[in-house]
Amino acid sequence: MALERTLCILKPDAVEKKKVGAILAKIEDAGFAILALRRVKLSMDVAEGFYAVHRERKFFGELVQFMIRSPVVVAVLEKESAVSAWRTLMGATDPAEADGGTIRKLFGANKGENATHGSDSVENAKTEIAYFFPASEVSPSA
Ligand code: CMP
Protein backbone atom coordinates (compact mmCIF):
# COMPACT_ATOMS: atom_id res chain seq x y z
CA MET A 1 0.00 0.00 0.00
CA ALA A 2 1.14 3.51 -0.74
CA LEU A 3 0.20 6.88 0.65
CA GLU A 4 -1.92 8.53 -2.05
CA ARG A 5 -3.84 11.74 -2.60
CA THR A 6 -7.18 12.09 -4.32
CA LEU A 7 -9.54 14.90 -5.27
CA CYS A 8 -12.88 15.07 -3.51
CA ILE A 9 -15.74 17.31 -4.59
CA LEU A 10 -18.82 17.79 -2.46
CA LYS A 11 -21.31 18.55 -5.22
CA PRO A 12 -24.03 21.25 -5.22
CA ASP A 13 -26.72 18.87 -3.93
CA ALA A 14 -24.66 18.00 -0.84
CA VAL A 15 -23.87 21.66 -0.15
CA GLU A 16 -27.51 22.70 -0.67
CA LYS A 17 -28.64 19.99 1.80
CA LYS A 18 -26.10 21.29 4.35
CA LYS A 19 -24.31 17.94 4.48
CA VAL A 20 -20.79 19.34 4.17
CA GLY A 21 -20.02 18.85 7.85
CA ALA A 22 -21.55 15.37 7.97
CA ILE A 23 -19.57 14.23 4.92
CA LEU A 24 -16.29 15.75 6.11
CA ALA A 25 -16.80 13.99 9.46
CA LYS A 26 -17.18 10.65 7.65
CA ILE A 27 -14.04 11.40 5.66
CA GLU A 28 -12.00 12.12 8.79
CA ASP A 29 -13.54 9.19 10.69
CA ALA A 30 -12.38 6.95 7.84
CA GLY A 31 -8.81 8.06 8.44
CA PHE A 32 -8.26 10.53 5.60
CA ALA A 33 -6.23 13.67 6.19
CA ILE A 34 -7.76 16.76 4.56
CA LEU A 35 -4.75 18.57 3.06
CA ALA A 36 -6.68 21.32 1.28
CA LEU A 37 -10.28 22.54 1.35
CA ARG A 38 -12.13 25.30 -0.50
CA ARG A 39 -15.73 26.26 -1.19
CA VAL A 40 -16.19 27.68 -4.68
CA LYS A 41 -18.94 28.40 -7.22
CA LEU A 42 -17.72 26.83 -10.46
CA SER A 43 -17.93 28.80 -13.70
CA MET A 44 -19.22 27.07 -16.82
CA ASP A 45 -15.66 27.07 -18.23
CA VAL A 46 -14.20 25.46 -15.12
CA ALA A 47 -16.94 22.80 -14.92
CA GLU A 48 -16.66 21.98 -18.63
CA GLY A 49 -12.88 21.77 -18.36
CA PHE A 50 -13.00 19.51 -15.34
CA TYR A 51 -15.41 17.08 -17.01
CA ALA A 52 -13.90 17.44 -20.53
CA VAL A 53 -13.40 13.67 -20.72
CA HIS A 54 -17.22 13.31 -20.66
CA ARG A 55 -17.82 15.97 -23.37
CA GLU A 56 -19.30 13.49 -25.85
CA ARG A 57 -21.62 11.81 -23.32
CA LYS A 58 -25.29 12.61 -23.65
CA PHE A 59 -25.51 13.73 -20.03
CA PHE A 60 -22.62 16.24 -20.36
CA GLY A 61 -24.82 19.35 -20.56
CA GLU A 62 -26.94 18.22 -17.62
CA LEU A 63 -23.81 17.41 -15.61
CA VAL A 64 -22.25 20.83 -16.20
CA GLN A 65 -25.50 22.70 -15.45
CA PHE A 66 -25.81 20.78 -12.18
CA MET A 67 -22.21 21.45 -11.16
CA ILE A 68 -22.59 25.24 -11.64
CA ARG A 69 -26.02 25.42 -9.94
CA SER A 70 -24.60 26.39 -6.56
CA PRO A 71 -21.26 26.21 -4.73
CA VAL A 72 -19.23 23.05 -4.33
CA VAL A 73 -16.52 22.16 -1.80
CA VAL A 74 -13.27 20.83 -3.27
CA ALA A 75 -10.76 19.00 -1.11
CA VAL A 76 -7.52 17.06 -1.31
CA LEU A 77 -7.63 13.84 0.72
CA GLU A 78 -4.64 11.75 1.75
CA LYS A 79 -4.50 8.18 3.06
CA GLU A 80 -3.02 4.80 2.18
CA SER A 81 -4.65 3.82 -1.14
CA ALA A 82 -6.70 7.04 -1.00
CA VAL A 83 -8.08 6.75 -4.55
CA SER A 84 -9.81 3.41 -4.01
CA ALA A 85 -10.58 4.10 -0.32
CA TRP A 86 -12.45 7.32 -1.20
CA ARG A 87 -14.35 5.58 -4.01
CA THR A 88 -15.35 2.82 -1.59
CA LEU A 89 -16.54 5.36 1.00
CA MET A 90 -18.53 7.24 -1.69
CA GLY A 91 -20.27 4.11 -3.01
CA ALA A 92 -21.52 3.41 -6.54
CA THR A 93 -22.21 6.29 -8.95
CA ASP A 94 -25.94 5.51 -8.80
CA PRO A 95 -27.05 5.92 -5.16
CA ALA A 96 -29.70 3.22 -5.75
CA GLU A 97 -26.89 0.72 -6.34
CA ALA A 98 -24.59 2.00 -3.58
CA ASP A 99 -23.84 -0.10 -0.51
CA GLY A 100 -25.53 0.80 2.77
CA GLY A 101 -23.64 3.37 4.82
CA THR A 102 -21.84 4.88 1.85
CA ILE A 103 -22.02 8.61 1.26
CA ARG A 104 -23.96 8.34 -2.00
CA LYS A 105 -26.46 5.92 -0.42
CA LEU A 106 -26.94 8.29 2.52
CA PHE A 107 -26.92 11.62 0.71
CA GLY A 108 -27.26 11.07 -3.07
CA ALA A 109 -30.51 11.26 -5.03
CA ASN A 110 -29.68 9.83 -8.46
CA LYS A 111 -26.81 9.24 -10.91
CA GLY A 112 -26.42 12.95 -11.56
CA GLU A 113 -27.09 14.35 -8.10
CA ASN A 114 -24.88 11.92 -6.25
CA ALA A 115 -23.32 14.15 -3.59
CA THR A 116 -19.63 13.56 -4.26
CA HIS A 117 -16.91 13.11 -6.87
CA GLY A 118 -13.67 11.19 -6.52
CA SER A 119 -10.71 10.69 -8.84
CA ASP A 120 -10.67 7.30 -10.58
CA SER A 121 -6.88 6.73 -10.68
CA VAL A 122 -3.70 8.02 -9.07
CA GLU A 123 -2.70 9.63 -12.36
CA ASN A 124 -6.05 11.41 -12.78
CA ALA A 125 -5.96 12.45 -9.11
CA LYS A 126 -2.74 14.39 -9.76
CA THR A 127 -4.33 16.17 -12.73
CA GLU A 128 -7.60 16.88 -10.88
CA ILE A 129 -5.84 18.16 -7.74
CA ALA A 130 -3.69 20.50 -9.84
CA TYR A 131 -6.86 21.71 -11.63
CA PHE A 132 -8.19 23.17 -8.38
CA PHE A 133 -5.18 23.66 -6.11
CA PRO A 134 -1.77 25.19 -6.76
CA ALA A 135 0.87 23.18 -4.88
CA SER A 136 1.25 26.06 -2.42
CA GLU A 137 -2.36 25.52 -1.22
CA VAL A 138 -1.90 21.83 -0.40
CA SER A 139 -0.50 21.38 3.09
CA PRO A 140 2.26 18.86 3.73
CA SER A 141 1.26 15.47 5.14
CA ALA A 142 1.01 15.44 8.93
P1 CMP B 1 -18.47 11.90 -11.17
O1 CMP B 1 -17.66 10.95 -10.37
O2 CMP B 1 -18.49 13.31 -10.75
O3 CMP B 1 -17.96 11.82 -12.69
C1 CMP B 1 -18.82 12.00 -13.81
C2 CMP B 1 -20.22 12.19 -13.39
O4 CMP B 1 -21.17 12.05 -14.40
C3 CMP B 1 -20.59 11.13 -12.40
O5 CMP B 1 -19.94 11.39 -11.18
C4 CMP B 1 -22.09 11.22 -12.36
O6 CMP B 1 -22.56 12.09 -11.35
C5 CMP B 1 -22.39 11.82 -13.72
N1 CMP B 1 -23.24 10.91 -14.47
C6 CMP B 1 -22.96 9.66 -14.81
N2 CMP B 1 -24.00 9.12 -15.49
C7 CMP B 1 -24.95 10.08 -15.56
C8 CMP B 1 -26.24 10.15 -16.13
N3 CMP B 1 -26.77 9.10 -16.76
N4 CMP B 1 -26.93 11.30 -16.01
C9 CMP B 1 -26.39 12.37 -15.37
N5 CMP B 1 -25.15 12.36 -14.82
C10 CMP B 1 -24.46 11.22 -14.90
Side-chain angles (χ1 to χ4, degrees), residues 16 35 66 132:
E16 289 164 2
L35 301 188
F66 164 58
F132 284 107

Side-chain angles (χ1 to χ4, degrees), residues 53-99:
V53 67
H54 296 302
R55 193 173 287 278
E56 304 306 324
R57 310 286 284 271
K58 63 178 187 313
F59 59 80
F60 181 71
E62 184 186 333
L63 173 61
V64 168
Q65 285 302 318
F66 164 58
M67 291 300 291
I68 66 171
R69 184 170 83 194
S70 54
V72 301
V73 173
V74 287
V76 177
L77 309 182
E78 185 177 75
K79 181 180 159 68
E80 295 284 327
S81 303
V83 170
S84 62
W86 172 227
R87 293 178 72 80
T88 299
L89 182 59
M90 287 194 298
T93 301
D94 185 347
E97 294 168 9
D99 289 340

